[in-house]
């Protein structure tokens, strides 16, 4: 199953190095102070082959661009109420943009239509009180209702037992999967064996 794999909530240098060695495509760093995976300082090692994704919640343009320069970000992932115009402004400055949308019902997928042409990917996460990281799944059957042309990553509660359900998703705009809290020993520290097993199962031919 040839899909992008993004591992989010990274923070520790050796853990970053080990996860990158598994051949993942994107690595997420959370710059939201209320998150238990908040990155307070530049890790001693940052990925060189995986794309660096900075996660922000209702942050200012200036703060995002400053962080992008300091951490060498390839993408910014916006997890708040950022408008399409805000995404367009960041794109105009050379940033690749991923807009996260909270999904609880099929109507929520329509919100993605407003971001056509102003972000590179959408990220569909589970509707919850906090901004992501709930470890809970939404009804993935709802994805069939998405009619936009922007490719998306699926997030929210994916774990080692999700492979069969992920394989069953046939949407042509499904670009990849975002994994986080279900693959951790503690917040910000990923469990290598569970990620490795997940990737092996995902790539295994039926």
């Amino acid at each position: 199953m040839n899909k992008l794999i993004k591992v989010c909530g990274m923070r520790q240098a050796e853990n970053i190095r080990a996860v990158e060695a598994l051949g993942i495509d994107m690595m997420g760093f959370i710059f939201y102070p209320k998150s238990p995976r908040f990155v307070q300082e530049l890790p001693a090692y940052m990925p060189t082959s995986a794309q660096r994704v900075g996660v922000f919640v209702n942050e200012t343009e200036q703060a995002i661009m400053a962080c992008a320069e300091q951490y060498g970000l390839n993408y910014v992932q916006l997890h708040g109420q950022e408008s399409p115009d805000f995404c367009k402004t960041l794109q105009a400055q050379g940033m690749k943009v991923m807009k996260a949308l909270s999904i609880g019902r099929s109507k929520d997928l329509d919100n993605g239509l407003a971001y056509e042409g102003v972000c590179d990917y959408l990220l569909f996460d589970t509707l919850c009180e906090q901004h992501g990281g709930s470890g809970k799944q939404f009804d993935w059957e709802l994805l069939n209702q998405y009619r936009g042309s922007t490719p998306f990553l699926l997030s929210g509660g994916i774990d080692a037992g999700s492979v069969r359900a992920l394989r069953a998703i046939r949407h042509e705009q499904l670009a990849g999967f975002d994994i986080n809290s279900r693959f951790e020993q503690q917040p910000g520290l990923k469990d290598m064996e569970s990620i490795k097993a997940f990737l092996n199962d995902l790539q295994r031919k039926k």
Side-chain angles (χ1 to χ4, degrees):
M1 192 175 191
N2 189 24
K3 300 295 182 184
L4 294 172
I5 301 296
K6 175 175 172 282
V7 180
C8 201
M10 301 299 299
R11 190 165 56 189
Q12 302 184 22
E14 290 311 310
N15 200 222
I16 292 169
R17 192 189 300 272
V19 169
E20 182 181 35
L22 297 177
I24 58 106
D25 303 286
M26 296 177 170
M27 198 170 289
F29 300 89
I30 298 176
F31 300 103
Y32 177 54
K34 294 182 180 180
S35 170
R37 300 166 186 85
F38 175 53
V39 178
Q40 293 182 307
E41 59 184 9
L42 183 68
Y45 177 81
M46 287 289 282
T48 56
S49 57
Q51 297 282 290
R52 304 175 186 184
V53 183
V55 181
F56 302 90
V57 178
N58 299 325
E59 193 53 87
T60 66
E61 174 192 338
Q62 292 75 16
I64 290 173
M65 294 309 298
C67 204
E69 182 174 356
Q70 180 184 358
Y71 287 81
L73 302 180
N74 304 105
Y75 285 84
V76 295
Q77 178 179 317
L78 305 175
H79 247 280
Q81 285 73 51
E82 299 88 1
S83 69
D85 282 344
F86 189 79
C87 296
K88 189 174 182 179
T89 299
L90 293 175
Q91 275 194 332
Q93 297 189 62
M95 290 305 306
K96 294 179 180 178
V97 178
M98 189 181 300
K99 181 68 183 83
L101 297 175
S102 297
I103 308 299
R105 53 184 181 169
S106 59
K107 187 177 180 180
D108 296 330
L109 293 161
D110 293 340
N111 295 330
L113 300 178
Y115 294 88
E116 295 280 322
V118 297
C119 63
D120 298 88
Y121 292 101
L122 295 173
L123 184 141
F124 294 144
D125 200 357
T126 305
L127 179 66
C128 59
E129 289 185 7
Q130 67 267 39
H131 297 279
S134 69
K136 298 178 180 178
Q137 295 179 8
F138 64 91
D139 180 5
W140 293 342
E141 290 287 333
L142 295 177
L143 295 173
N144 295 322
Q145 307 302 316
Y146 175 59
R147 298 288 180 256
S149 60
T150 306
F152 67 88
L153 273 69
L154 176 61
S155 183
I158 295 174
D159 60 25
S162 301
V163 171
R164 180 175 292 185
L166 295 177
R167 283 179 174 276
I169 301 171
R170 290 284 182 259
H171 201 293
E172 62 181 9
Q173 296 301 343
L174 174 63
F177 308 114
D178 176 280
I179 64 175
N180 189 351
S181 60
R182 294 293 190 95
F183 293 88
E184 288 185 325
Q185 296 175 358
Q186 62 188 53
L189 180 64
K190 297 300 181 283
D191 183 274
M192 295 303 303
E193 293 307 313
S194 63
I195 294 178
K196 197 179 300 182
F198 172 76
L199 295 177
N200 287 340
D201 285 349
L202 203 59
Q203 301 303 330
R204 187 176 293 131
K205 294 182 179 179
K206 295 181 181 179

